[in-house]
């Protein structure tokens, strides 16, 4: 059982906080009263697990060989060209429709 000493301070008493400051402090109150085991459970353990997973991923990754790199580059380039044509045709169709709706001069 812990025995807490109360310290008495002579003076005007505790400072009054604005409602906004009080609300801000109240949202952090649960974290201010955490024990070390709670800190380990909530913060340290997830970070440690993330670090282990990251190291495992980096060890498992390999550099692509030339054939694989060319395939990826071609697929990416093809996708960019297709998206460009889609955007061009959408814009090509949009301009006349917009002129009809808005009524250009």
């Amino acid at each position: 059982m812990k025995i807490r000493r109360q310290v008495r301070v002579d003076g005007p008493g505790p400072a009054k906080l604005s409602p906004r400051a009080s609300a801000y402090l109240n949202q952090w109150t649960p974290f201010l009263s955490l024990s070390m085991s709670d800190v380990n459970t909530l913060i340290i353990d997830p970070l440690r697990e993330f670090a282990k997973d990251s190291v495992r991923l980096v060890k498992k990754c390999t550099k692509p060989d030339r054939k694989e790199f060319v395939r990826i580059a071609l697929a990416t380039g093809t996708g960019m060209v297709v998206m460009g044509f889609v955007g061009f045709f959408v814009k090509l169709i949009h301009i006349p429709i917009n002129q009809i709706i808005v009524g250009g001069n």
Side-chain angles (χ1 to χ4, degrees), residues 52-102:
K52 283 181 184 179
D53 291 343
S54 299
V55 168
R56 188 178 325 130
L57 175 68
V58 169
K59 285 182 179 179
K60 198 167 195 162
C61 290
T62 59
K63 186 176 178 181
D65 59 351
R66 185 168 183 81
K67 183 179 176 184
E68 186 179 5
F69 177 77
V70 169
R71 286 173 101 192
I72 292 170
L74 284 174
T76 304
T78 304
M80 293 173 88
V81 168
V82 168
M83 291 302 290
F85 276 117
V86 168
F88 174 74
F89 287 118
V90 166
K91 189 70 172 177
L92 193 65
I93 293 169
H94 180 265
I95 291 173
I97 292 174
N98 193 23
Q99 292 297 325
I100 292 169
I101 293 173
V102 175

Side-chain angles (χ1 to χ4, degrees), residues 17-27:
L17 294 175
S18 68
R20 186 174 179 182
S22 179
Y24 180 77
L25 287 177
N26 285 339
Q27 81 180 21

Side-chain angles (χ1 to χ4, degrees), residues 27-61:
Q27 81 180 21
W28 291 103
T29 301
F31 297 106
L32 297 176
S33 62
L34 292 176
S35 66
M36 281 308 291
S37 63
D38 293 335
V39 170
N40 282 340
T41 303
L42 292 174
I43 299 171
I44 306 290
D45 290 343
L47 287 175
R48 188 176 291 138
E49 186 176 335
F50 175 75
K52 283 181 184 179
D53 291 343
S54 299
V55 168
R56 188 178 325 130
L57 175 68
V58 169
K59 285 182 179 179
K60 198 167 195 162
C61 290

